[in-house]
Amino acid sequence: MQTAVGTPSKAGGFASFSTTKPTAPSLAATEVLVRIRYSGANHIDAFMAATGSYLETFPHVLGKAWAGKVVAVGVAVTRLQVGDKVTGAGYLPTMGSFQEYIAAPEVYVAKVPERLSLSDAATIPHTYAASFVSLFSQEYGIGLPLPPTTLEEKSQPILVWGGSSSTGIAALQTLGGLGFTSLFTVAGAASHDKLSKLPGVKVVYDRSLPGDQLVADIRKDTEKVGNLKKVYATMVDEAGWDSILGILEGKPQSIVSFIMGSGPNDGKKALVEGRILFRRSVGMYLLKDPIGTGVFSEHLESLLATNAVTPSKPANVFADGDLLERVQSAMKRLQEGHAGESVVVEIV
């Protein structure tokens, strides 16, 4: 048995409890046994713990992203070996990352290059996966080509609204790393220099500009490279939706994928084909979507190796006290609101 932290019942709350510790003999042929060193923490864990929402079995181990080392592999595993630094996301019921050991399907695990620390690696998987599904899923996202192969595919204009958020940065890094060359983003002024240096980013717009100016500038700039019809919205208020819909006005079959917060009100939804992706459901989408098996093992591993995807924000690691105390301290930090960091829990 091993100690885990999560939600003990539908009533919510955080607690320590024992879970079955996976062992090498119990691995399926395509699984790897990982000893988790660090776990990312996010607001979804806090929400689930506070409400017991979206959970069906209890006690439920929380934690959506992890990094550690492979300690055993199934007989059919060839890509990974014992001792590899790896990262992944805890979407399957047995893969919550607030515990020391998990058995993970090889396809949901990515190697971590030596230059990247495990604490930093733990900040990447969840926001990366949410953005990846939003960008490339034909059913749940905006259906971009994966990978882009023609000049037309690579140069099509793509707008990321909220480029300075963790998911926005992950999206821009992923798109640039895969070869897309006409990326436009709206973000706070403080992040303009950082975002403008990312591969593929053509223009960074100040989100504080008047809506009509944003609409006019983005329509003018994107029309120089093509017909903008694909938008990924990560942090959008009602004024932002007014701008997005103004940008897409007169563009049939435009599509927006959005997470974190509400979409446009009912009177505006008919103007675009909207896809909703809430990050708490990313795991479900990965398991259902044809692209799911390559999100980590193929694409994230390659993007990490080439340094295209890097931590969007510095890790703030919580390492004091026992595991429950560390998780509780991390959740308190999230609730206080510190946008310039990624909260990480040391597991062992």
Side-chain angles (χ1 to χ4, degrees):
M1 303 297 286
Q2 63 178 337
T3 299
V5 169
T7 301
S9 70
K10 193 67 176 178
F14 278 108
S16 292
F17 46 84
S18 295
T19 60
T20 301
K21 178 181 175 181
T23 62
S26 68
L27 290 178
T30 57
E31 288 183 332
V32 296
L33 181 60
V34 177
R35 188 182 191 216
I36 297 175
R37 186 75 174 87
Y38 296 96
S39 171
N42 61 67
H43 294 281
I44 297 168
D45 293 313
F47 178 76
M48 288 179 171
T51 64
S53 300
Y54 309 108
L55 304 177
E56 297 177 355
T57 59
F58 298 92
H60 189 99
V61 183
L62 294 174
K64 295 292 181 290
W66 50 263
K69 288 191 175 183
V70 175
V71 295
V73 299
V75 295
V77 173
T78 58
R79 182 175 57 88
L80 301 172
Q81 60 185 3
V82 172
D84 281 346
K85 293 170 59 179
V86 289
T87 190
Y91 296 137
L92 298 177
T94 57
M95 284 176 58
S97 53
F98 294 151
Q99 57 186 337
E100 186 174 353
Y101 289 94
I102 58 168
E106 180 186 17
V107 293
Y108 296 122
V109 178
K111 285 184 184 178
V112 173
E114 283 302 316
R115 67 175 178 276
L116 183 62
S117 72
L118 288 176
S119 57
D120 281 338
T123 70
I124 294 172
H126 190 48
T127 51
Y128 159 81
S131 293
F132 201 97
V133 175
S134 295
L135 294 169
F136 298 106
S137 172
Q138 297 295 322
E139 183 174 357
Y140 307 114
I142 59 178
L144 294 172
L146 181 66
T149 55
T150 67
L151 179 61
E152 181 180 10
E153 289 177 343
K154 293 178 180 178
S155 63
Q156 66 177 297
I158 303 164
L159 176 63
V160 175
W161 193 284
S164 58
S165 68
S166 294
T167 44
I169 294 171
L172 293 169
Q173 289 181 341
T174 299
L175 290 167
L178 290 173
F180 290 91
T181 60
S182 298
L183 309 179
F184 301 81
T185 188
V186 177
S191 60
H192 281 207
D193 286 345
K194 176 181 178 179
L195 297 180
S196 64
K197 295 174 182 176
L198 294 177
V201 173
K202 284 190 172 293
V203 185
V204 182
Y205 302 93
D206 188 342
R207 69 183 179 197
S208 67
L209 290 173
D212 55 353
Q213 183 178 343
L214 275 173
V215 170
D217 289 350
I218 293 174
R219 286 183 69 104
K220 178 188 69 175
D221 292 338
T222 55
E223 286 170 3
K224 295 176 183 177
V225 295
N227 186 15
L228 174 65
K229 290 187 174 184
K230 303 290 181 76
V231 178
Y232 175 38
T234 72
M235 297 182 68
V236 194
D237 57 15
E238 196 59 40
W241 280 114
D242 287 339
S243 296
I244 290 172
L245 296 173
I247 293 163
L248 297 178
E249 185 177 358
K251 298 176 181 286
Q253 288 80 53
S254 298
I255 181 169
V256 181
S257 182
F258 58 93
I259 60 175
M260 294 179 67
S262 61
N265 64 41
D266 291 340
K268 300 172 183 175
K269 285 181 180 178
L271 299 179
V272 294
E273 179 188 356
R275 303 277 175 83
I276 304 172
L277 179 69
F278 292 110
R279 282 196 288 167
R280 61 176 178 266
S281 301
V282 171
M284 177 189 74
Y285 298 133
L286 285 179
L287 296 174
K288 289 183 176 181
D289 199 281
I291 70 171
T293 55
V295 171
F296 290 99
S297 58
E298 180 182 354
H299 298 294
L300 179 57
E301 185 164 305
S302 175
L303 291 164
L304 290 175
T306 58
N307 212 33
V309 167
T310 60
S312 60
K313 298 173 183 178
N316 182 2
V317 179
F318 286 77
D320 294 333
D322 61 24
L323 182 56
L324 177 59
E325 291 170 332
R326 295 196 292 271
V327 171
Q328 290 174 324
S329 296
M331 292 303 148
K332 181 180 178 181
R333 182 73 173 180
L334 285 173
Q335 292 165 352
E336 291 172 351
H338 297 272
E341 64 186 35
S342 294
V343 178
V344 173
V345 176
E346 182 179 273
I347 303 300
V348 292

